[in-house]
């Protein structure tokens, strides 16, 4: 499993508390459709119409058409993403945000992003990883001229809203913007989500080293086929497991353990090795093929899988890859 990364200076100071002070990362807590539309449209119009900047609106698909109607965009400065597809795996989102910001940020322009990564109905594991993503937004954009608004439905569980106040230095509720007294260091917030992973029942276990990688592929393919994974998804499954086990051999002590099991509608592969996680942003930016630093394998896993969970234990690095047997239409 990859552990190599460049020396990174992580977030030290709170993001700006207003859009004129560098990076700006507010939360919008909404209790009605009107409150949601007003808050998002006001944020985007300020960037696009008042400043002439570009905006990325990444929200659940049901909201996209209504926002398109309300946000007049004759110069096509707004990019639209259905978050239920683009952000089904929360680990993919930051990569897309960073690519957008890299294209449009300059000394004269400040791109703005609306990113609704959480909605009512997200499962517990997805919710933890979506909150982790939002905390890491503070790390990824520290010091940059970028604004990122994160809307939160007030019907979400209270523990989610509590974490949102820790993630965002500014919150807007009932039309009033205020400083969040609960704002915390994002890396401390991320550690909150490193909860123990639940143990599976009766997994298939495969021990491997450098000379057993072909055996791992065969076992993973046969097992996924028996579980009903389609040929196309099986290809993605094998590529993701191949990247993970290859990283174990190269960077995780030369060997590892693969466990596979079925959890409701998903197949889960767990890879455990002796690697270390040195960069919380690993896999969250499209890797430069010329770079000597790691991250390519984890980035590929995020693109292929429906959910990726990673835990750094005292003597092991654990990676879980989830892939739906019957994914939602259009995915």
């Amino acid at each position: 499993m990859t552990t190599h990364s460049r020396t990174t200076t992580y977030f030290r100071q709170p993001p700006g508390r207003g859009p004129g002070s560098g990076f700006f990362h507010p939360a919008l807590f909404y209790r009605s459709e009107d409150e949601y539309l007003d808050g998002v449209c006001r944020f985007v119009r300020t960037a696009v119409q008042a400043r002439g900047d570009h905006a990325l609106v990444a929200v659940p698909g049901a909201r996209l058409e209504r926002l398109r109607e309300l946000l007049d965009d004759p110069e096509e400065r707004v990019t639209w993403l259905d978050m239920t597809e683009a952000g089904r795996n929360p680990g993919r989102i930051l990569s897309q945000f960073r690519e957008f910001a890299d294209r449009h940020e300059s000394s004269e322009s400040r791109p703005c992003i609306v990113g609704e990564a959480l909605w009512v109905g997200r499962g517990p594991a997805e919710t933890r990883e979506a909150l982790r993503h939002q905390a890491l937004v503070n790390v990824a954009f520290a010091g940059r001229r970028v604004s990122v608004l994160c809307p939160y439905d007030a019907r979400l569980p209270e523990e989610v809203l509590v974490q949102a106040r820790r993630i965002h230095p500014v919150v807007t509720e009932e039309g009033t913007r205020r400083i969040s007294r609960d704002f915390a260091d994002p890396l401390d917030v991320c550690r909150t989500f490193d909860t123990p992973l639940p143990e599976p029942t009766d997994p298939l276990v495969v021990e491997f080293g450098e000379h057993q990688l072909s055996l791992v592929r065969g076992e993973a393919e046969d097992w996924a086929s028996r579980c009903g994974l389609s040929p196309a998804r099986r290809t993605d499954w094998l590529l993701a497991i191949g990247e993970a086990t290859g990283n174990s051999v190269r960077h995780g002590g030369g060997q590892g353990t693969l466990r596979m099991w079925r959890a409701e509608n998903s197949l889960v592969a767990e890879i455990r090795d002796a690697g270390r996680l040195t960069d919380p942003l690993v896999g969250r930016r499209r890797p430069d093929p010329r770079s000597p630093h790691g991250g390519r394998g984890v980035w590929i896993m995020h693109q292929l899988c429906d959910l990726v969970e990673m835990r750094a234990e005292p003597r092991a690095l654990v990676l879980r890859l989830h892939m739906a047997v019957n994914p939602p239409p259009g995915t």
Side-chain angles (χ1 to χ4, degrees), residues 28 41 136 152 162 211 254:
L28 169 66
C41 289
L136 290 174
Y152 293 86
V162 167
H211 302 295

Side-chain angles (χ1 to χ4, degrees), residues 26-329:
L28 169 66
F29 295 95
Y30 63 90
R31 290 174 171 77
S32 69
E33 188 77 0
D34 287 344
E35 211 172 359
Y36 174 87
L37 295 172
D38 179 69
V40 172
C41 289
R42 188 189 304 271
F43 182 77
V44 175
R45 286 188 184 119
T46 299
V48 174
Q49 297 178 5
R51 298 198 306 263
D53 291 330
H54 286 81
L56 171 65
V57 178
V59 301
R63 294 270 173 68
L64 285 176
E65 285 307 313
R66 184 63 177 136
L67 287 169
R68 282 178 185 269
E69 293 172 3
L70 294 173
L71 289 167
D72 186 30
D73 183 31
E75 297 184 13
E76 297 185 345
R77 291 181 177 271
V78 181
T79 300
W80 305 90
L81 277 180
D82 182 349
M83 191 64 98
T84 59
E85 296 181 11
R88 186 173 72 256
N89 172 4
R92 296 178 193 163
I93 303 170
L94 193 49
S95 175
Q96 297 173 80
F97 285 8
R98 292 171 76 161
E99 288 179 30
F100 175 82
D102 289 346
R103 287 197 302 272
H104 298 293
E105 181 187 7
S106 71
S107 58
E108 291 79 32
S109 63
R110 169 198 293 278
C112 87
I113 298 169
V114 179
E116 188 167 11
L118 277 160
W119 51 85
V120 174
R122 276 277 212 189
E126 292 173 328
T127 295
R128 281 192 299 272
E129 295 308 315
L131 287 167
R132 186 192 305 275
H133 148 74
Q134 290 171 330
L136 290 174
V137 165
N138 290 321
V139 179
F141 291 111
R144 295 186 59 171
R145 289 175 50 80
V146 178
S147 297
V148 182
L149 173 71
C150 298
Y152 293 86
D153 190 326
R155 295 174 300 164
L156 287 164
E158 181 60 27
E159 58 266 26
V160 172
L161 303 180
V162 167
Q163 294 299 338
R165 293 182 176 92
R166 298 183 67 213
I167 289 168
H168 299 274
V170 174
V171 298
T172 298
E173 294 184 85
E174 298 180 342
T176 300
R177 179 186 293 173
R178 62 177 176 79
I179 294 170
S180 174
R181 299 180 183 275
D182 300 315
F183 180 72
D185 184 291
L187 299 184
D188 289 339
V189 175
C190 285
R191 282 187 278 271
T192 303
F193 311 127
D194 289 334
T195 55
L197 294 168
E199 273 298 304
T201 301
D202 195 26
L204 175 64
V205 181
V206 184
E207 304 286 346
F208 65 89
E210 180 180 1
H211 302 295
Q212 287 81 44
L213 293 180
S214 60
L215 170 65
V216 166
R217 178 183 175 89
E219 291 279 6
E221 183 168 20
D222 291 345
W223 183 79
S225 177
R226 294 196 300 272
C227 289
L229 198 63
S230 69
R233 297 232 90 194
R234 210 179 309 151
T235 297
D236 291 346
W237 169 259
L238 295 175
L239 285 172
I241 290 177
E243 289 292 338
T245 54
N247 279 348
S248 293
V249 169
R250 290 189 295 272
H251 307 301
Q255 60 187 6
T257 302
L258 168 67
R259 299 197 297 174
M260 297 179 290
W261 66 93
R262 184 155 184 165
E264 297 181 349
N265 185 45
S266 292
L267 303 189
V268 184
E270 178 190 271
I271 299 88
R272 177 182 294 265
D273 61 37
R276 294 182 302 109
L277 180 63
T278 59
D279 182 358
L281 294 174
V282 66
R284 296 176 188 266
R285 182 168 195 166
R286 184 185 297 272
D288 182 344
R290 299 163 297 181
S291 172
H293 305 289
R296 174 182 175 277
V298 181
W299 185 83
I300 290 174
M301 294 174 222
H302 276 300
Q303 307 315 303
L304 296 173
C305 298
D306 297 310
L307 180 67
V308 176
E309 298 177 282
M310 193 177 297
R311 296 290 187 274
E313 297 182 353
R315 297 185 179 181
L317 188 60
V318 181
L319 184 68
R320 283 192 180 178
L321 311 176
H322 300 245
M323 186 164 290
V325 176
N326 299 302

